[in-house]
Amino acid sequence: VLPIIKHSDRATTVAAFVTQSPLWKKFEVVKFTRNMQVVLSAAANKDASALQLHARWLLDVGDGTLNDVNDCLTTPPHLSLPASSPFSAFLEWVMPNLAQNLHNPHWIAERAFLAPHHADVDDVNSL
């Protein structure tokens, strides 16, 4: 049973529950502060400054510091498409040249498409 904390969000309630557990003292809290993709890309002479900015943005998203008063996040224009875009445009944006690379296991292994609803998965599978 989770504790009731007035005016809190789910994360706060779960955090309060976890920290009250008798097992909590056996855990070590680790906070990720270094994005290994940025480190590896910088070593490969890719655009490290842009990757570092993106990594900082991801950390801020994870910390919830970019959320507005309604706890919503607005993504930067270069990370989003207009809401009116067809799903096929979104899929091409996320996985360019999918038809040509569909049978390349190395290409597929580097990508993921997560969908919140089965209907979205059906849309992807029908393309």
Side-chain angles (χ1 to χ4, degrees):
V1 176
L2 291 176
I4 297 173
I5 302 173
K6 291 183 179 183
H7 310 293
S8 72
D9 59 7
R10 180 179 177 170
T12 304
T13 302
V14 171
F17 173 75
V18 170
T19 58
Q20 297 303 312
S21 167
L23 297 174
W24 181 248
K25 61 186 171 205
K26 298 187 183 285
F27 285 87
E28 177 184 353
V29 177
V30 178
K31 184 174 180 175
F32 296 107
T33 58
R34 190 166 73 167
N35 187 316
M36 291 309 296
Q37 183 179 7
V38 172
V39 172
L40 295 174
S41 295
N45 294 324
K46 295 186 179 178
D47 186 3
S49 61
L51 288 170
Q52 287 172 341
L53 286 172
H54 183 69
R56 177 77 254 159
W57 181 80
L58 288 174
L59 288 171
D60 290 342
V61 167
D63 290 340
T65 59
L66 299 178
N67 296 9
D68 64 17
V69 295
N70 296 318
D71 205 26
C72 293
L73 173 71
T74 301
T75 56
H78 70 282
L79 293 178
S80 58
L81 290 175
S84 60
S85 299
F87 187 76
S88 58
F90 172 73
L91 188 60
E92 179 62 27
W93 184 59
V94 173
M95 295 186 168
N97 304 314
L98 177 61
Q100 290 84 4
N101 292 297
L102 187 59
H103 300 291
N104 179 345
H106 299 290
W107 188 87
I108 292 292
E110 294 176 349
R111 289 155 177 83
F113 181 80
L114 304 176
H117 304 286
H118 290 293
D120 297 330
V121 174
D122 292 340
D123 287 345
V124 172
N125 290 335
S126 69
L127 296 175

